[in-house]
Amino acid sequence: MANTILVGAQWGDEGKGKIIDVLTEQADVVVRTQGGNNAGHTVHIGGQKYVLHLVPSGILRSKKTCVIGNGVVVDPVSLVQEIEGLRKLKIKVDGNLFLSETAHLVLPYHRELDAQREILKGKNKIGTTKRGIGPAYGDKAARTGLRVVDLVNPERFKKQLEFKIKENNEILKAFGAKPLSFKKVHNTYRAAGDYLKPFVINTVVWLHEAVRRGDDILFEGAQGTFLDIDYGTYPFVTSSNTTAGGACTGSGIPPHRMDRVVGVMKAYTTRVGEGPLPTENAEIADMLHAMGREFGATTGRPRRCGWFDAVATRHATMVNGIDELAVTNIDGLDTLETIKVCIAYRDGSKRYDYIPSDIELLSRCQPVYAEFPGWRTETHKARKWKDLPPKARAYLKAIAELTGADLAIASIGPGREQTIFI
Ligand code: GDP
Ligand code: IMO
Ligand code: MG
């Protein structure tokens, strides 16, 4: 399979978890390289639903090795809970999961600051997952963060945490929020440190050994292209590079060792949280929500929904270098008579075929649509390309062509078996 970077080509929740689980069959190692437990990756196997937040979705195949790389921000308590949850479901998490010693920690003051900043922003809030992601990456960039290597070094951790709690309590007081108890936080996080210690290694060296052995590595992106801190709809973004480059900086594997980039996109568009979504449409949102679909895997919030936006996905192909596409949730469109696809934006007389960087301009942009006839047939039982209705095939070919990459996978249901290789 070679080394593959998998990214979300939209605003997150494209179905990356499902596609990772499918592709893991061919891989040896699966690595998360950015984000934290703001991610929620869903995998359905034989009637059981798993939602992964920090642990790579490859963990559901017991013979593969999973790595949480240096670019991830890790809430140790949340990671312990996730591992415990997997073990309860009889998933093997022993010798097949490694955690980078240089991954930064998310601590309770990050979560509290995340919440307080959102409250202060009022109607201009980002709509974060309140998992402390922004403040944790903020500390990393400011060079004031604590890392996994500190957590598993009790003396050092105590000193550093004491200082950080003192400093952040001053800030929390200024927000009018309750200060944190050093003792409580220290006890809880030290316990998590002891639990996680056996997983902690130098993942950069380990991954390079895997490359030398000729292992096939799958890099599991979290969030999506338009939540990227550089290429997304700033400031309505997350705090990491969710695009392909993040896989290199977040793992230590250099660009020339990467063989292909797979972009995952839904057959329509969703977004959770605030910020522009040019093709947003209430009818399609109501339809999907009525089907019990499109509720956030991490926060349970209803996702905003809209038509497929080919301006966005074409831009995603450009910044990620997407070679192949996996299109998911095709079955979500099964009942529609007509399906719209955004092929350009218009602001007054000006037309755009890329995403404008100025968020105010983007918010003003109106989509220019092309229309496709719906197939009005259930697709969830299709297993081969030719099982799909001709109109569905035509739609998929068109959105792949507009996106500018090869259509490789079509997904027509959440299950492993509901996957068509093209
Ligand atoms: P991720 O964050 O990109 O991994 O995506 P999420 O797991 O947050 O959201 C994707 C949702 O779509 C999950 O509930 C998946 O089980 C579901 N899903 C993925 N592919 C398909 C598909 O082809 N059809 C249907 N019906 N559901 C899908
Ligand atoms: P996966 O990996 C969808 C969104 C939040 C908010 C913005 C910033 O499951 O695709 P943050 O908590 O990161 O500071 O929030 O980013 N967001 C996601 N949206 N899927 C995700 O992850 C997301 N992770 C963050 O809703 O708009
Ligand atoms: Mg998700």
Side-chain angles (χ1 to χ4, degrees), residues 22 37 44 56 62 71 77 80-81 104 108 129 138 147 151 156 160 186 197 225 227 254 276 322 333 338 353 366 370:
V22 168
N37 64 340
H44 287 256
S62 62
V77 170
V80 170
Q81 282 167 357
H104 274 252
T129 59
R147 307 189 294 178
L151 178 71
R156 196 197 305 172
Q160 290 175 326
H186 182 250
K197 197 164 183 195
T225 300
L227 293 173
I322 295 173
L333 302 178
T338 306
D353 58 5
Q366 294 298 319

Side-chain angles (χ1 to χ4, degrees), residues 269 278-279 307-315 339-346 350-356 365-372 395 397-404:
T269 308
T279 62
W307 299 110
F308 186 82
D309 184 342
V311 179
T313 57
R314 193 159 54 232
H315 202 87
I339 303 171
K340 290 188 189 177
V341 170
C342 170
I343 51 166
Y345 299 154
R346 198 187 291 287
K350 209 160 165 16
R351 198 178 152 113
Y352 295 90
D353 58 5
Y354 59 90
I355 295 230
C365 278
Q366 294 298 319
V368 177
Y369 285 118
E371 290 193 355
F372 291 82
Y395 176 74
K397 274 194 194 156
I399 61 173
E401 194 169 312
L402 287 164
T403 301

Side-chain angles (χ1 to χ4, degrees), residues 20 32 65 119 136 145-146 149 156 162 174 178 187 214 217 245 280 298 311 323 336:
I20 285 282
R32 270 284 303 273
T65 307
I119 293 169
L146 270 62
V149 70
R156 196 197 305 172
E162 203 160 15
K178 231 174 91 191
N187 287 345
I217 307 178
E280 187 162 21
T298 296
V311 179
D323 302 299
L336 294 172

Side-chain angles (χ1 to χ4, degrees), residues 6-19 32 34 36-42 51-53 127 129 220-227 238 242 263-273 277 288-289 293-305 326-330 411:
L6 181 138
V7 292
Q10 295 162 321
W11 277 269
D13 301 329
E14 296 90 347
K16 299 177 294 294
K18 172 193 159 154
I19 302 298
R32 270 284 303 273
Q34 42 72 227
N37 64 340
N38 49 349
H41 297 178
T42 318
V51 182
L52 287 313
H53 298 285
T129 59
E220 175 174 353
Q223 292 82 49
T225 300
F226 300 102
L227 293 173
T238 190
T242 62
V264 185
M265 57 191 204
K266 279 181 173 143
Y268 48 90
T269 308
T270 66
R271 169 169 208 165
V272 56
L277 187 63
L288 292 163
H289 292 150
R293 300 162 67 129
E294 302 309 343
F295 294 91
T298 296
T299 58
R301 290 178 288 177
R303 294 177 183 143
R304 297 158 63 196
C305 304
V327 183
T328 69
N329 287 275
I330 296 158
S411 168

Side-chain angles (χ1 to χ4, degrees), residues 18-19 26 28 38 48 52 95 107 123 127 132 151 156 168 191 215 245 253 265 267 308-309 361-362 399 417 422:
K18 172 193 159 154
I19 302 298
Q26 315 283 328
D28 301 296
N38 49 349
Q48 177 69 50
L52 287 313
L107 289 154
K123 69 172 176 36
L151 178 71
R156 196 197 305 172
N168 282 288
D215 280 4
I253 300 299
M265 57 191 204
F308 186 82
D309 184 342
L361 167 59
L362 178 60
I399 61 173
E417 68 293 352
I422 297 141

